[in-house]
Amino acid sequence: MSHSESKRTVSATAASYPLLADYKRVRAQSEALTQPLSEADCEGQSMPDASPAKWHLAHTSWFFETFLLKPCAGYEPLDASYERLFNSYYNSIGEQFPRASRGLLTRPSLAEVMHYRRHVDSGMTSLLSSRELPDDQKALVELGLNHEQQHQELILTDIKHLLAQNPQKPAYRSRWPLASVRPAPSQWIAGPSGLISIGHVSGSFAFDNEMPAHRHWLEPFELASRPVTNAEYLAFIEDGGYERPELWLSDGWAAARAALWQAPGYWYRAGDQWRCFTLHGDSRLDPHAPVCHVSFYEAEAFARWAGARLPTEFEWESLARTIPVQGNFLESGAFHPLAQSRGPVAGAMSQMFGDVWEWTRSDYAPYPGFAPAAGAVGEYNGKFMSGQYVLRGGSCATAGDHVRATYRNFFPPQARWQFSGIRLARDPVPASRTCAPAGERAASSQGQPRTTATKQFRQAGTLDSSAQRQALCAGLLAQPAVLSPKYFYDVLGSKLFDAITELPEYYPTRTEADIFGKYASQMAREIRELLGQCFQMLEPGAGSCEKAARLFPVFRPKRFIAVDVSAEYLAAQIGRLQRRFADIQMVGVGMDFSRRFELPDDIPREPTLVFYPGSSLGNFEPPTRQRLLREMRTSSPATALLLGVDFVKDKAELESAYNDALGLTAAFNLNALRHVNTLIDANFDPGDWSHVAVFNETAARIEMYLQARHALTVRWSDGERRFQAGERLRTEHSYKWTATTLRDMLSEAGYDVVHLWADDAHRFGVVLATAARAANDS
């Protein structure tokens, strides 16, 4: 486990006492992990890379003593010699006892180490309960807790390696009571392409190697929906994988030859049966569980054999961000990767968190702008950024609250005593090819779904109903053909749009953000005058929810209701927001509000601010737009509308925003075809179409199309449509307003304008409106 140690940004208002509860919980977990062990077990060291369990217990105490207790007046260290014995790599602290010889430290005894822990715990309890800690000390406490959670995983992996050397194959614990489950069929999942955000954003704990957040360009790619299984890896072995140098990197081939690798770590053959050693003792190999204890070199060789490749860490993170952090972690007590236990859902990523760390093809290198933390705690990351590869996702020995989508683990390429496994990636292939070449041999891209719902998630109606399918097909058969803008927003489309908003040509998001930054406090005062001090905030088409999140500290709603057609993407965002804003109730609603805006019955009908930024209302044709505004107005007894609107302006400026130089808008437009393919089993090939966006000055709207490059026929499960060369498929109309047409539109829908804010150039506006007293919806 990489012991990445850095500062965390901690709120100045955070109380110390919750840290004390976290401290006691984490410390108790470490000791619980050593309960099944004898004193001799705790002292053994089976190889230089591993450490005795006793040393882990002492070193994690050394951390708190060194960085938090020793600087405190009145604290007395238990034993001055411990500073050297239990120092790991902190050169600026002082000398260290050699890592490879830690097993020789029979003294102090295990009982003395536990006494040392009690001594440190006493000091930390006094520190955490006696007074409010300054932010830098709170940061060190959280760092120390995460550091100890890393060592909890090391306790398990190191003791497994130690017990595996014993011919008796002793069990650390009794067998897990979980049956094997056959994995789901193979799936390739398309990830986002273009300019994406990578890395951790401040506001919650992260190691410094996860920062700073920055933008990264991704070419189109696909990721296997689940990790490679033992059965699939066994097919690689039986096909001579360890005897074929053409599959291996040169250094990997040399390492495999030198170490006599013939199978993953802990595997062995007994007659005609493969078996493996686990923390539950000797076991028959479960063919359906994820393969683990493979090195980077073995993962790379398997990927070549499977006709695929390993993902980059940026590809992995881009898809991991869209799903909750759920999986088989340390808390399950299984202490071994498990086969999937859930039924398949098409297009869903599975087991990205827990079970096995997943090797990536990325060197462990600093992010742009990276700087190690000041002082000794900065030693653990920057100085190790050479000769190692990044792993992502956590394992069955990782604490569940320790990992996140941005977490970067790292090991040298030959390491395999950790629970390290494989997930494949590939570059896009023609639609007619549905699996990797090795699919016939190993089904190496199989997938198992995850559930997208959380406790905070609701479903309003059925998003993929037969009526919607009929409407989609009717649009494709219409003259001219039409595709609803809602089909832009699958997971990939949502990510692409987030990237578009960062482009220099795309002024709406930037200009709107400036308006909110300048007038948010004034907006909040006027909203409270209309709705009172206690109101809920509802955002249709919420997407990433970041616009609303930036206003939470000023608006202070009691509840946030996010509505979006992309249910999978939205569910992940709601969980992320709830961790950031614990005092605001978060609710996600999967809804196609282009058909009807109707909240589920269990959503409270309380004073509501409908927050609809970004001028997305302009995507609707006038009749649908008016119907939607009326339905939103009547969704609660008291409703205010805060609406972003794009104004009519120079034609060249408008068209530039929809024809950006990087081609992200074109990719966003073309992605709708991929989405439709998954919904109705169509055969749209994005390469057959080109992106077109023009401003219709008469209608005051941007018109976006996909234009056929040549004559072609598009087929789907129960229909087809012939397109001529140059024929267009309309994907979006985006209406623009003047101050006059805006007021007229809102008045027709039953609203009175309260205030209109705009930028100095009058390119974009934010309008606050409230239900008109004499609104008539007859």
Side-chain angles (χ1 to χ4, degrees):
M1 170 71 68
S2 60
H3 296 184
S4 315
E5 302 180 2
S6 66
K7 280 193 174 183
R8 177 199 171 181
T9 301
V10 180
S11 169
T13 62
S16 294
Y17 294 105
L19 278 181
L20 178 58
D22 286 343
Y23 177 87
K24 290 182 176 180
R25 173 179 58 83
V26 172
R27 297 283 283 176
Q29 178 67 72
S30 299
E31 295 177 18
L33 291 175
T34 62
Q35 286 303 305
L37 304 176
S38 68
E39 181 166 356
D41 290 334
C42 289
E43 291 181 348
Q45 181 180 19
S46 54
M47 65 170 176
D49 284 341
S51 296
K54 183 178 74 175
W55 188 91
H56 289 301
L57 293 173
H59 169 68
T60 50
S61 302
W62 173 94
F63 180 96
F64 289 108
E65 180 181 70
T66 300
F67 293 107
L68 283 150
L69 296 179
K70 283 186 177 179
C72 294
Y75 176 77
E76 290 293 331
L78 182 65
D79 190 322
S81 68
Y82 290 179
E83 178 170 294
R84 173 176 180 250
L85 292 183
F86 303 127
N87 183 358
S88 54
Y89 310 108
Y90 291 97
N91 294 314
S92 57
I93 297 295
E95 186 181 5
Q96 309 104 47
F97 188 82
R99 177 180 182 178
S101 301
R102 289 170 184 168
L104 302 178
L105 294 174
T106 57
R107 307 285 178 88
S109 67
L110 178 60
E112 290 172 311
V113 165
M114 297 308 294
H115 178 60
Y116 178 43
R117 284 181 69 87
R118 297 290 83 79
H119 181 80
V120 170
D121 287 347
S122 176
M124 287 298 298
T125 300
S126 297
L127 178 67
L128 294 175
S129 59
S130 62
R131 59 188 173 86
E132 177 74 5
L133 294 182
D135 285 357
D136 59 346
Q137 285 189 309
K138 291 177 184 175
L140 283 172
V141 174
E142 291 238 13
L143 178 58
L145 295 178
N146 280 268
H147 167 259
E148 181 144 351
Q149 286 180 312
Q150 290 179 321
H151 280 271
Q152 289 169 3
E153 182 160 359
L154 287 169
I155 287 172
L156 290 173
T157 55
D158 293 359
I159 200 66
K160 179 175 182 177
H161 192 272
L162 175 68
L163 295 178
Q165 313 312 309
N166 190 326
Q168 292 183 314
K169 297 181 172 56
Y172 165 78
R173 279 191 179 172
S174 60
R175 281 182 199 281
W176 60 96
L178 298 174
S180 176
V181 180
R182 183 176 294 278
S186 302
Q187 296 183 54
W188 287 108
I189 309 299
S193 58
L195 199 62
I196 67 165
S197 177
I198 287 292
H200 185 79
V201 178
S202 62
S204 59
F205 179 82
F207 293 114
D208 59 359
N209 65 351
E210 301 170 60
M211 298 180 282
H214 61 285
R215 291 183 291 177
H216 184 86
W217 181 266
L218 286 183
E219 295 296 331
F221 73 98
E222 294 173 334
L223 208 61
S225 56
R226 64 158 176 78
V228 170
T229 65
N230 288 326
E232 293 157 0
Y233 198 88
L234 186 57
F236 164 74
I237 296 174
E238 293 175 346
D239 197 43
Y242 282 91
E243 309 301 325
R244 296 170 56 182
E246 74 271 17
L247 298 174
W248 294 72
L249 296 171
S250 177
D251 287 347
W253 181 250
R257 297 295 92 190
L260 303 178
W261 291 342
Q262 293 295 317
Y266 304 110
W267 283 32
Y268 70 100
R269 191 190 294 272
D272 60 353
Q273 181 185 103
W274 279 97
R275 302 187 66 84
C276 65
F277 179 77
T278 77
L279 283 167
H280 303 274
D282 180 59
S283 173
R284 185 171 182 172
L285 189 71
D286 179 358
H288 306 316
V291 67
C292 67
H293 299 300
V294 293
S295 66
F296 168 84
Y297 292 136
E298 290 163 292
E300 174 79 3
F302 178 89
R304 294 188 185 190
W305 172 82
R309 60 176 174 82
L310 297 180
T312 68
E313 64 170 314
F314 312 109
E315 291 170 335
W316 191 99
E317 182 176 322
S318 71
L319 280 174
R321 283 175 176 269
T322 68
I323 63 176
V325 180
Q326 299 173 350
N328 170 29
F329 293 113
L330 179 148
E331 292 81 358
S332 74
F335 302 143
H336 194 75
L338 300 175
Q340 299 173 90
S341 60
R342 292 168 287 184
V345 172
M349 300 301 298
S350 177
Q351 295 178 287
M352 291 197 80
F353 297 103
D355 285 306
V356 292
W357 289 101
E358 297 175 4
W359 285 106
T360 75
R361 197 58 177 83
S362 296
D363 296 323
Y364 178 52
Y367 284 166
F370 168 82
V377 293
E379 286 193 54
Y380 262 74
N381 269 329
K383 70 180 185 181
F384 288 123
M385 289 177 171
S386 66
Q388 310 206 59
Y389 285 88
V390 174
L391 301 94
R392 295 295 196 114
S395 82
C396 56
T398 309
D401 63 351
H402 181 65
V403 294
R404 55 205 156 266
T406 60
Y407 194 110
R408 305 175 77 201
N409 198 358
F410 56 92
F411 280 104
Q414 71 275 12
R416 62 179 196 161
W417 93 104
Q418 293 296 306
F419 289 99
S420 50
I422 309 168
R423 186 184 298 268
L424 297 179
R426 70 175 184 181
D427 300 321
V429 296
S432 59
R433 179 176 161 191
T434 58
C435 61
E440 296 80 15
R441 298 176 292 173
S444 58
S445 62
Q446 297 183 52
Q448 178 77 351
R450 58 171 182 84
T451 176
T452 60
T454 70
K455 293 179 180 179
Q456 302 129 312
F457 193 78
R458 311 286 196 278
Q459 185 73 49
T462 303
L463 292 180
D464 293 322
S465 65
S466 59
Q468 284 186 303
R469 179 186 177 89
Q470 291 172 7
L472 194 165
C473 296
L476 294 177
L477 293 171
Q479 293 291 347
V482 177
L483 192 61
S484 170
K486 68 187 177 185
Y487 297 114
F488 289 141
Y489 297 101
D490 61 353
V491 172
L492 175 56
S494 297
K495 301 291 276 187
L496 283 170
F497 184 74
D498 287 348
I500 288 169
T501 63
E502 301 289 334
L503 294 172
E505 300 97 328
Y506 195 78
Y507 63 87
T509 301
R510 183 172 58 256
T511 308
E512 184 182 56
D514 290 342
I515 294 171
F516 283 127
K518 188 174 182 180
Y519 298 110
S521 296
Q522 182 183 352
M523 293 175 184
R525 287 195 299 272
E526 298 193 20
I527 290 166
R528 292 191 185 96
E529 289 176 3
L530 295 171
L531 300 177
Q533 294 297 315
C534 187
F535 64 91
Q536 60 188 10
M537 187 171 172
L538 184 153
E539 183 178 6
S544 68
C545 306
E546 278 305 309
K547 290 185 179 181
R550 284 193 284 269
L551 294 172
F552 287 163
V554 181
F555 286 9
R556 301 194 303 277
K558 63 176 293 187
R559 181 181 299 108
F560 176 61
I561 305 165
V563 179
D564 203 280
V565 70
S566 181
E568 181 178 357
Y569 184 74
L570 180 61
Q573 306 315 309
I574 285 296
R576 177 180 57 82
L577 277 182
Q578 191 65 82
R579 291 190 291 272
R580 289 172 58 189
F581 302 97
D583 58 335
I584 301 175
Q585 181 186 355
M586 301 293 172
V587 180
V589 178
M591 181 201 299
D592 180 6
F593 56 85
S594 67
R595 297 176 59 82
R596 186 179 182 184
F597 187 90
E598 185 176 19
L599 294 173
D601 292 339
D602 61 346
I603 300 294
R605 267 48 177 181
E606 298 177 354
T608 302
L609 172 67
V610 177
F611 177 63
Y612 202 8
S615 201
S616 298
L617 187 66
N619 295 149
F620 296 103
E621 296 298 327
T624 304
R625 184 170 66 218
Q626 293 303 314
R627 186 266 306 161
L628 175 59
L629 286 170
R630 292 190 184 99
E631 290 175 350
M632 290 193 299
R633 175 170 55 78
T634 58
S635 64
S636 67
T639 302
L641 174 68
L642 193 62
L643 178 69
V645 289
D646 198 4
F647 290 128
V648 173
K649 58 186 70 67
D650 180 72
K651 176 182 173 72
E653 183 178 9
L654 280 166
E655 291 186 348
S656 175
Y658 291 82
N659 292 284
D660 61 272
L662 283 178
L664 287 182
T665 308
F668 176 68
N669 199 9
L670 290 164
N671 180 65
L673 300 180
R674 299 186 181 94
H675 189 195
V676 168
N677 283 346
T678 67
L679 295 176
I680 60 173
D681 196 25
N683 69 336
F684 277 106
D685 185 343
D688 292 336
W689 301 82
S690 57
H691 163 76
V692 177
V694 295
F695 181 57
N696 182 330
E697 294 179 279
T698 302
R701 69 190 186 195
I702 282 281
E703 297 176 352
M704 202 152 75
Y705 302 94
L706 292 169
Q707 182 170 295
R709 296 179 182 272
H710 53 81
L712 55 92
T713 299
V714 176
R715 296 181 175 86
W716 53 94
S717 57
D718 53 0
E720 65 177 45
R721 167 70 183 269
R722 177 73 177 173
F723 289 90
Q724 301 300 319
E727 188 175 352
R728 290 179 174 180
L729 168 61
R730 192 189 82 202
T731 54
E732 182 182 55
H733 283 170
S734 182
Y735 285 84
K736 313 301 175 184
W737 286 275
T738 65
T740 300
T741 59
L742 173 62
R743 289 178 184 273
D744 290 345
M745 174 195 69
L746 291 173
S747 178
E748 182 183 347
Y751 293 85
D752 288 335
V753 172
V754 176
H755 202 130
L756 174 62
W757 296 272
D759 63 300
D760 293 340
H762 207 73
R763 298 196 302 172
F764 198 90
V766 176
V767 60
L768 176 63
T770 187
R773 293 184 179 181
N776 185 350
D777 297 320
S778 58

